[in-house]
Amino acid sequence: MPFADLGLSDELLRAVEEAGYSEPTPIQAQAIPSVLMMRDIIGIAQTGTGKTASFVLPMIDILSQGRARARMPRSLILEPTRELADQVAQNFEKYAKYTKLSTALLIGGVSMGDQVKALEKGVDVLIATPGRLMDLFERGNILLTGCSLLVIDEADRMLDMGFIPDIENICTKLPANRQTLLFSATMPPPIKKLSDRFLSNPKSIEVARPATASANIAQMLVPVGERDKREMLRQLLKSEGVDSAIIFCNRKTMVRELNKSLKRHGFKSGEIHGDIDQSARIAELEKFKSGEINLLVASDVAARGLDIKGVSHVFNFDAPWHPDDYVHRIGRTGRAGATGKAFTFVTKQDAEAIDNIEKLIGNKIERLDTGVTIEESDDGGAARGRPARGGAKRGRGKSEERPAQRERDDRPARGEKSEAGERPAREARPAREARDERPARAERPARPDRGDRGRDRPRRDDRQQDDGPDDGWNGPTPAFLNFGFDS
Ligand code: AMP
């Protein structure tokens, strides 16, 4: 089906053609006509499926009639992270170039002054992370009563990050007769509840996970001892004809260490993780996009949604704990029809994680012949000084282990501005506290009473075993986390 059959305006068709798209992706073909008919939508789709354009394109046509008024945005797009919000804003820039629509980005970690000024002028499209939006709302800088179109993007990720109470709150402040579009990779019960409560007779659209469509990514497992990982990485970087690569680590500490090591060895590398403030993150991404650096060492904060053209390789320096993260990580390569390669380093401790990944993607991943098997690959003394990854080895349940780890990567470090930016005493707000401490979706135990929330906090010991910096370990890596790597 050509784009011209979807009911979009000529100006938009021109912008789409200039973007180089010949035909709509399945989510676009199904969503765009319904959005133009003002229907509510539940889109079960992940990044990489073209879902951003599936709401941005019809929104541009819907909003092209009418004018923005001061402090009263006409539409609102909620994104879980600053990076995703920024990316959606770039999509608007690309597709709305033949219209006069104004957009404003409300994200934490950057000054509020310019954001308030933009709101004062009046904006057609407000793209926001929930924390900053609520802060500005509570300060009286925004009125949401003129907002007739709401997009809740990456709803399951919002759930992971504890944003659902904020979203519910925001929904009650918008006019009841608005149009609502909700996108989520999965539909866990809390998201279903949210859609039942705030969407009206929605059309459900489901498209295949990129995991099933990623035939253009060649995947390989690399059995390797923990102590040999860096050497192995350097070898592969040299032998594999890497144009540009994202290298994922499970911990921020490791991201920093590995980046330093690569630089020492003469590679052009940079780093991105949750402890780096927003302007530095954007600067690092720009360097990567422009080719000033061609290796980006990253935590999972960069795994979802980042759309960088021409990433030839993904390396999982650490095998991800969660199979979904694997799919997101490797999806940073092989985008928009290009081919890519994904190498995952595996020690014997990762056997269970790899099993789960292979179950999810429905395939055995080919093993690279490194001279050792996964079972033989030394875990570098993981059981001695490091938190066990699978949880089982050290007798700790998964729910105690991964969630804090995953969520912490998205949290600002102490001293860094939080999602709420300048707002002091953020932790005092129950919703925020919940966001920081609630376990991830899959492992979440029965919801505790509000009064019990404090008990959800990981014990000090547990937190220290993790990356640490968010809780005050911004200094050098403690000795027991150094595994005697070569450099
Ligand atoms: P998204 O799922 O929105 O993150 O989009 C994933 C990638 O697909 C982005 O690089 C888009 O620019 C690209 N894209 C979106 N729509 C199309 C299309 N119809 N044809 C080809 N590429 C597209």
Side-chain angles (χ1 to χ4, degrees):
M1 177 197 280
F3 266 106
D5 289 358
L6 299 180
L8 296 167
S9 66
D10 290 344
E11 290 79 29
L12 262 184
L13 292 176
R14 206 162 111 212
V16 165
E17 197 183 322
E18 286 171 16
Y21 306 157
S22 49
E23 59 177 42
T25 64
I27 183 99
Q28 291 164 1
Q30 292 180 71
I32 291 172
S34 301
V35 179
L36 287 173
M37 282 189 275
M38 315 304 285
R39 280 206 61 180
D40 283 5
I41 298 280
I42 296 177
I44 318 265
Q46 294 183 324
T47 54
T49 55
K51 86 173 149 65
T52 316
S54 80
F55 59 85
V56 168
L57 293 174
M59 275 178 82
I60 292 170
D61 269 352
I62 290 170
L63 295 168
S64 63
Q65 313 289 328
R67 275 194 64 218
R69 286 191 284 162
R71 284 187 293 157
M72 289 183 73
R74 297 171 63 209
S75 65
L76 170 65
I77 300 175
L78 293 172
E79 294 289 336
T81 65
R82 306 158 187 183
E83 279 80 9
L84 284 167
D86 196 39
Q87 223 160 263
V88 171
Q90 287 174 24
N91 268 261
F92 264 98
E93 232 167 75
K94 182 162 66 176
Y95 303 129
K97 60 182 175 183
Y98 298 117
T99 72
K100 291 198 171 74
L101 290 183
S102 58
T103 59
L105 196 56
L106 295 193
I107 52 177
V110 290
S111 142
M112 273 194 191
D114 291 346
Q115 299 178 348
V116 171
K117 267 190 222 146
L119 286 168
E120 286 293 339
K121 276 197 213 149
V123 292
D124 296 296
V125 185
L126 189 59
I127 306 159
T129 48
R132 177 55 66 97
L133 179 75
M134 285 309 292
D135 281 347
L136 284 167
F137 182 85
E138 283 163 14
R139 287 163 188 241
N141 295 110
I142 310 173
L143 283 170
L144 293 173
T145 44
C147 204
S148 57
L149 205 166
L150 170 68
V151 179
I152 304 168
D153 197 16
E154 304 256 335
D156 52 350
R157 180 102 157 108
M158 301 269 202
L159 175 68
D160 274 353
M161 296 173 74
F163 280 137
I164 296 300
D166 283 344
I167 305 231
E168 287 172 350
N169 199 354
I170 292 165
C171 282
T172 59
K173 311 223 177 302
L174 268 69
N177 62 350
R178 64 169 186 272
Q179 183 179 13
T180 308
L181 318 176
L182 181 145
F183 293 88
S184 191
T186 55
M187 264 291 165
I191 301 297
K192 173 84 178 58
K193 228 170 101 191
L194 185 78
S195 62
D196 288 347
R197 184 163 164 215
F198 292 110
L199 274 69
S200 148
N201 185 28
K203 174 175 172 172
S204 281
I205 298 167
E206 183 161 358
V207 299
R209 310 167 61 92
T212 56
S214 63
N216 45 353
I217 304 171
Q219 302 170 52
M220 193 75 82
L221 296 183
V222 184
V224 60
E226 189 71 53
R227 289 186 178 84
D228 301 323
K229 280 184 175 180
R230 292 189 188 191
E231 171 76 46
M232 178 65 76
L233 178 65
R234 291 195 295 268
Q235 274 180 25
L236 287 171
L237 287 172
K238 286 173 188 156
S239 64
E240 271 297 311
V242 172
D243 289 331
S244 67
I246 303 183
I247 304 163
F248 286 101
C249 302
N250 289 352
R251 293 184 174 79
K252 287 173 281 194
T253 321
M254 187 58 81
V255 171
R256 284 188 290 260
E257 300 270 309
L258 184 59
N259 181 31
K260 267 191 226 147
S261 163
L262 285 166
K263 280 181 173 163
R264 267 200 304 271
H265 283 269
F267 291 95
K268 291 186 295 172
S269 77
E271 65 186 57
I272 174 171
H273 54 78
D275 275 357
I276 295 182
D277 74 28
Q278 177 67 0
S279 52
R281 275 200 225 180
I282 290 173
E284 207 73 343
L285 279 176
E286 283 309 316
K287 277 196 222 162
F288 188 61
K289 285 181 186 170
S290 72
E292 192 181 329
I293 56 174
N294 71 332
L295 304 180
L296 189 63
V297 189
S299 68
D300 279 298
V301 81
R304 296 202 183 209
L306 283 189
D307 181 26
I308 300 168
K309 294 260 172 334
V311 176
S312 65
H313 290 71
V314 164
F315 290 90
N316 288 316
F317 189 79
D318 297 311
W321 288 288
H322 202 282
D324 276 349
D325 288 338
Y326 177 81
V327 175
H328 286 296
R329 288 181 182 188
I330 71 165
R332 300 310 103 206
T333 182
R335 289 175 82 74
T339 54
K341 280 190 176 178
F343 289 91
T344 300
F345 289 8
V346 193
T347 71
K348 68 178 173 196
Q349 217 194 349
D350 302 316
E352 189 189 327
I354 296 301
D355 233 34
N356 291 335
I357 289 168
E358 291 182 330
K359 269 186 210 136
L360 175 78
I361 61 173
N363 275 325
K364 270 272 190 225
I365 308 171
E366 198 180 322
R367 270 76 170 151
L368 190 72
D369 183 4
T370 57
V372 286
T373 63
I374 293 175
E375 293 68 31
E376 287 163 2
S377 54
D378 177 25
D379 65 7
R384 283 198 309 275
R386 211 160 41 127
R389 287 181 193 163
K393 282 219 164 111
R394 306 190 66 204
R396 288 170 46 173
K398 273 191 180 163
S399 58
E400 291 168 89
E401 186 112 15
R402 285 200 53 265
Q405 187 90 46
R406 288 180 50 173
E407 313 234 321
R408 196 160 299 143
D409 246 355
D410 287 328
R411 288 169 55 195
R414 183 190 281 179
E416 183 196 340
K417 287 200 177 70
S418 67
E419 199 76 87
E422 290 82 359
R423 186 191 179 88
R426 180 157 190 90
E427 285 72 13
R429 299 171 69 192
R432 300 294 177 282
E433 196 174 312
R435 171 190 316 158
D436 281 355
E437 307 300 344
R438 280 169 69 188
R441 180 176 16 121
E443 295 87 0
R444 188 167 298 151
R447 195 187 173 92
D449 289 337
R450 260 174 189 268
D452 284 335
R453 284 248 168 95
R455 281 186 229 148
D456 281 348
R457 293 180 73 91
R459 286 186 324 250
R460 183 75 209 153
D461 288 349
D462 294 345
R463 284 188 275 156
Q464 286 194 342
Q465 282 180 347
D466 192 351
D467 234 358
D470 282 345
D471 292 301
W473 264 7
N474 281 315
T477 313
F480 74 81
L481 282 177
N482 281 326
F483 317 127
F485 285 120
D486 50 354
S487 54

